[in-house]
Each structure stands twice: as structure tokens, then as C-alpha cells.
């Protein structure tokens, strides 16, 4: 899958591609048919492997027919039944029985989301590991603290990195807490067809139908945006601190220019910031769709989710992967940090003098406050999160 409109999209691989979506829907149908046979509801003669019945060339066929029914499941089921009719008429007869199109499509999205979350969790772990190393290495590296774009008081680069780490850990926690249940509600969420067939729904899933209760989707969207928020936070600092007039940070391999050979742009940080600027709107669309649910299956609110979720997942995967690359090659110029701190002069210690005067003692030699302890807490949290000993 390639998307020239989103440079770096290839980093997301096959996650939420149309082909992956088609395979996931076939997998749902296959698992359901196997379950019907295994429970004795469908005859043993209906057992068949569906994986070879649908291939890449069928994507265009299903896509072309999807508009008529409003979703791709209807066309897919028709195609599968047609191909099952001669080799296994019992399988054709029992295929999809007890399900509705939303059950298949939602469960397919859940399967895709589980794979994406696994990949995302692994990259968030990598990013955290790199941040832990940076925070420990620069625990005492002094620099100017900046608030509202201006010099404020002294701080350390280690504390800045610990702040980045906290954001990534928050995102990781949200991603790992996600519940992604399969969908099984039948035509109107009553599971009437299952009951009629003699299937006990509680033996198939422990989650009630969520046809029109879309927290599964909105929570996923919110967790994904939390990831791009955390990565965007890192990218924003790197973009600011890599400006030539500051020069405290630099990407390992800056991007070039089509016309200016002197340029070494912090390209990956630019692209991560791009994601952070666009993913919240995608999550907002998921919430709007959830708020637009009506009746027992919705007219448009459900349909608005699919492509929105695809873009949100892929953009998040790309942004986190790019952040890992940024951190793995980040150049920290401690000498520039020290020079900026020295050039800021006595003004940086104005607050300290006021506090010391109020407390009735001379100012301390440094004014880093509790920075060291805050870094230690962030590192301890990270080690605990990933069950690391060091």
C-alpha cells in the first residue's frame, strides 16, 4: 500500500489495507462457520477451508459491488456462496448464518486493530527505552527552561526528556488497556437468529452487542490520538531546539531541499508534527459518528467509521515509528545548551533570589529544584511498566 499524499505511509505496512480488510472479513466468516460445525449446529459436511476461495484479484469485484449494499460484507458473502455452491453446498447454505453484515465488518476491524495495537505497543516500548537512556545520560545536563517561548529558569535536558517519556508511557498505558471485543448481535442486536439455531451466545463471546454503543471504536481512537499527542510533543521540542539560532538538538540525518543544498531539515519531526495536527480530527469524527447512532443499527454513523479508523491507525503507526527513528539518532549538543544558559545571565535566577530572600538564606549553588527526583520517578515508572530490572 502506498500513499503519496502521506509520505512515510509505507511504514504502516499492510495494517488496515484493503487487502488486509478483505482477508479479515473472510477470516471472520471462516471462524464462524467452523464454530457452527464444531458446536453441532451445522453438519460436519459444511466444514471447509475458505482461505483459498478469495484472493487479491477479488478485491476489485467486492469493492465494485459494495456500494449497492452499503458495505463490502454483502458482496463478499455472495461471492463466497457462489464459489462454495458446487464443491460444498452445505457450506454455502450455512455460511454467515446467525450473523449480520455489521457483525462481520466490526469483528474484522477488531482483528485488524489488535494486530495494529501489538505493533504500536512494540514501537512505544522502543521509544520508551530510548527515552530512558537519554534521560539517564542527561540527568545533569543543564539548559535554559523556556515558558511561553521565553527564557524562564534553569532546568536539565534530562528532565525535558523525562517529560517526553511520561507522555509516551501515558500513551502506552492507554493502548494496552484497550478492550477490543468481537461483535455478535445479529440483525438487530437481539441475537434472535442464534437463539433460533440453538446457539448459546454466551459461549461465543462475553461482550454484549455494540452495534450502536461505539465505545470500542472511540476508545481506540482516543488511545491512538494519545500516541500522536505524545510523539508530537517530542517533535515540537526538537523542531524548536534544532533551529540554527538555538542549535541544541539535531536529527541524525536531516532531510534535504530540492533547491537549497545547505538545508538539513528535521524532516521526521516535521512529519510527526503533521500527524499530531491531523489525528485529533479523525478521532472527533469517530465521536461524532458514535453520537449519531440511532435505532438498532445506524444509518451512516457506522459507515463513517471505517476509512476514518484506517487513516487514524496508519497515521499513528507511522508517527510512532518515525519517533523511534528520531530518538535513535538524536544529536544532543550539551555545549550549546550550556552556552545558551550562560548567555542568559543573572536574569534566570531572579526567582531564586526572591525565594531565598523569603526563606531567609542565601541562594543555593544551583536552581534545578526537584529535577533529579522527577527524572528518577519517570525512569522507575518506565522500568516498572516494562518489568525491567535496571
Amino acid at each position: 500500500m502506498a500513499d503519496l499524499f502521506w509520505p512515510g505511509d509505507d511504514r504502516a505496512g499492510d495494517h488496515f489495507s484493503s487487502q488486509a480488510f478483505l482477508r479479515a472479513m473472510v477470516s471472520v466468516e471462516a471462524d464462524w462457520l467452523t464454530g457452527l460445525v464444531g458446536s453441532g449446529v451445522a453438519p460436519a459436511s459444511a466444514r471447509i477451508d475458505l482461505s483459498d476461495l478469495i484472493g487479491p484479484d477479488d478485491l476489485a469485484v467486492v469493492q465494485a459491488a459494495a456500494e449497492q449494499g452499503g458495505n463490502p460484507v454483502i458482496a463478499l458473502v455472495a461471492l463466497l456462496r457462489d464459489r462454495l455452491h458446487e464443491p460444498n453446498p452445505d457450506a454455502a447454505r450455512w455460511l454467515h448464518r446467525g450473523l449480520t453484515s455489521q457483525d462481520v465488518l466490526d469483528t474484522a476491524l477488531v482483528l485488524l486493530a489488535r494486530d495494529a495495537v501489538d505493533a504500536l505497543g512494540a514501537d512505544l516500548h522502543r521509544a520508551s527505552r530510548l527515552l530512558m537512556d537519554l534521560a539517564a545520560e542527561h540527568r545533569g545536563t543543564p539548559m535554559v527552561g523556556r515558558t511561553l517561548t521565553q527564557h524562564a529558569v534553569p532546568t536539565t535536558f534530562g528532565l525535558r526528556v523525562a517529560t517526553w517519556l511520561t507522555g509516551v508511557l501515558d500513551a502506552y498505558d492507554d493502548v494496552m488497556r484497550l478492550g477490543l471485543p468481537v461483535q455478535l448481535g445479529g440483525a438487530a442486536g437481539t441475537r434472535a437468529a442464534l437463539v433460533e439455531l440453538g446457539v448459546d451466545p454466551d459461549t461465543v463471546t462475553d461482550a454484549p452487542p455494540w452495534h450502536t454503543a461505539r465505545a470500542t471504536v472511540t476508545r481506540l481512537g482516543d488511545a491512538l490520538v494519545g500516541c500522536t499527542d505524545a510523539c508530537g510533543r517530542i517533535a515540537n521540542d526538537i523542531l524548536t531546539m534544532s533551529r540554527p539560532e538555538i542549535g541544541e538538538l539535531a536529527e541524525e540525518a536531516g532531510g534535504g531541499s530540492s533547491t537549497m543544498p545547505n538545508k538539513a531539515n528535521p524532516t521526521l519531526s516535521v512529519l510527526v508534527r503533521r500527524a499530531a495536527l491531523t489525528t485529533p480530527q479523525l478521532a472527533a469524527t469517530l465521536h461524532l459518528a458514535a453520537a449519531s447512532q440511532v435505532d438498532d443499527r445506524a444509518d451512516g454513523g457506522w459507515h463513517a467509521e471505517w476509512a476514518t479508523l484506517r487513516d487514524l491507525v496508519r497515521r499513528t503507526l507511522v508517527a510512532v515509528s518515525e519517533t523511534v527513528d528520531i530518538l535513535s539518532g538524536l544529536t544532543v549538543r550539551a555545549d550549546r545548551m550550556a552556552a545558551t544558559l550562560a548567555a542568559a545571565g543573572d536574569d534566570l535566577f531572579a526567582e531564586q533570589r526572591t525565594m531565598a530572600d523569603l526563606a531567609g538564606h542565601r541562594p543555593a549553588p544551583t536552581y534545578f529544584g526537584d529535577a533529579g527526583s522527577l527524572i528518577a520517578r519517570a525512569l522507575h515508572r518506565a522500568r516498572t511498566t516494562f518489568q525491567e530490572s535496571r
Side-chain angles (χ1 to χ4, degrees):
M1 182 172 178
D3 186 356
L4 284 177
F5 290 96
W6 199 261
D9 178 72
D10 56 294
R11 287 174 178 263
D14 196 36
H15 289 289
F16 272 76
S17 69
S18 293
Q19 286 287 0
F21 191 19
L22 184 63
R23 289 195 303 270
M25 288 186 287
V26 173
S27 178
V28 173
E29 293 288 359
D31 288 347
W32 183 247
L33 183 58
T34 298
L36 289 177
V37 172
S39 64
V41 174
S45 57
R47 188 186 301 275
I48 192 171
D49 183 3
L50 301 182
S51 59
D52 294 334
L53 292 183
I54 300 293
D57 293 341
D58 295 313
L59 179 61
V61 175
V62 174
Q63 185 174 7
E67 184 179 24
Q68 183 176 3
N71 72 74
V73 178
I74 299 171
L76 174 62
V77 170
L79 186 60
L80 285 170
R81 281 185 175 146
D82 182 64
R83 292 181 178 174
L84 286 169
H85 183 71
E86 285 201 16
N88 193 326
D90 283 341
R93 180 167 174 255
W94 280 95
L95 180 78
H96 192 71
R97 300 305 182 188
L99 301 178
T100 194
S101 54
Q102 187 166 354
D103 293 332
V104 177
L105 198 150
D106 279 352
T107 301
L109 290 178
V110 163
L111 297 180
L112 295 177
R114 289 175 181 175
D115 287 344
V117 163
D118 286 346
L120 192 58
D123 268 351
L124 289 170
H125 186 181
R126 293 186 189 99
S128 298
R129 181 70 261 171
L130 291 165
L131 288 168
M132 291 169 69
D133 290 343
L134 267 178
E137 179 183 356
H138 293 283
R139 185 189 304 264
T141 301
M143 63 173 287
V144 166
R146 298 178 176 92
T147 65
L148 304 180
T149 76
Q150 303 299 300
H151 291 173
V153 296
T155 186
T156 67
F157 183 60
L159 182 57
R160 178 66 60 86
V161 175
T163 301
W164 297 351
L165 175 59
T166 297
V168 172
L169 291 174
D170 288 344
Y172 180 85
D173 286 347
D174 289 345
V175 167
M176 292 298 104
R177 278 195 295 261
L178 285 171
L180 294 168
V182 301
Q183 177 73 276
L184 185 59
T190 64
R191 295 175 171 169
L194 296 183
V195 174
E196 193 70 19
L197 288 171
V199 177
D200 180 1
D202 291 336
T203 65
V204 183
T205 175
D206 57 1
W210 43 280
H211 284 168
T212 56
R214 307 304 288 175
T216 294
V217 176
T218 56
R219 286 171 183 159
L220 172 59
D222 291 344
L224 294 170
V225 172
C227 295
T228 58
D229 287 349
C231 293
R233 167 74 180 87
I234 296 169
N236 290 339
D237 271 346
I238 293 172
L239 289 169
T240 297
M241 296 170 71
S242 65
R243 289 175 179 269
E245 59 270 25
I246 297 177
E248 295 172 347
L249 297 176
E251 287 188 12
E252 182 177 40
S257 164
S258 64
T259 184
M260 295 173 285
N262 60 300
K263 294 295 289 294
N265 301 319
T267 304
L268 289 179
S269 294
V270 169
L271 295 180
V272 170
R273 177 171 162 77
R274 161 201 65 175
L277 290 172
T278 57
T279 53
Q281 294 88 315
L282 296 172
T285 296
L286 296 178
H287 280 281
L288 181 59
S292 300
Q293 296 292 312
V294 65
D295 298 326
D296 301 298
R297 286 172 60 205
D299 53 351
W302 174 52
H303 305 73
E305 294 174 347
W306 317 332
T308 303
L309 196 56
R310 174 202 62 199
D311 290 347
L312 181 49
V313 168
R314 292 186 66 83
R315 291 181 185 188
T316 303
L317 285 167
V318 170
V320 176
S321 172
E322 289 169 338
T323 300
V324 170
D325 281 2
I326 292 169
L327 294 173
S328 65
L330 187 65
T331 298
V332 180
R333 294 171 175 160
D335 58 331
R336 290 294 295 265
M337 294 178 181
T340 302
L341 183 65
D346 234 18
D347 288 348
L348 285 183
F349 300 91
E351 182 191 65
Q352 181 188 21
R353 290 191 295 272
T354 300
M355 296 301 112
D357 184 60
L358 286 170
H361 59 68
R362 293 178 59 81
T366 63
Y367 196 54
F368 296 129
D370 201 28
S373 176
L374 294 171
I375 296 167
R377 290 180 194 176
L379 292 175
H380 175 73
R381 178 186 171 189
R383 286 192 291 267
T384 301
T385 296
F386 302 114
Q387 299 181 338
E388 297 182 1
S389 58
R390 71 182 185 92

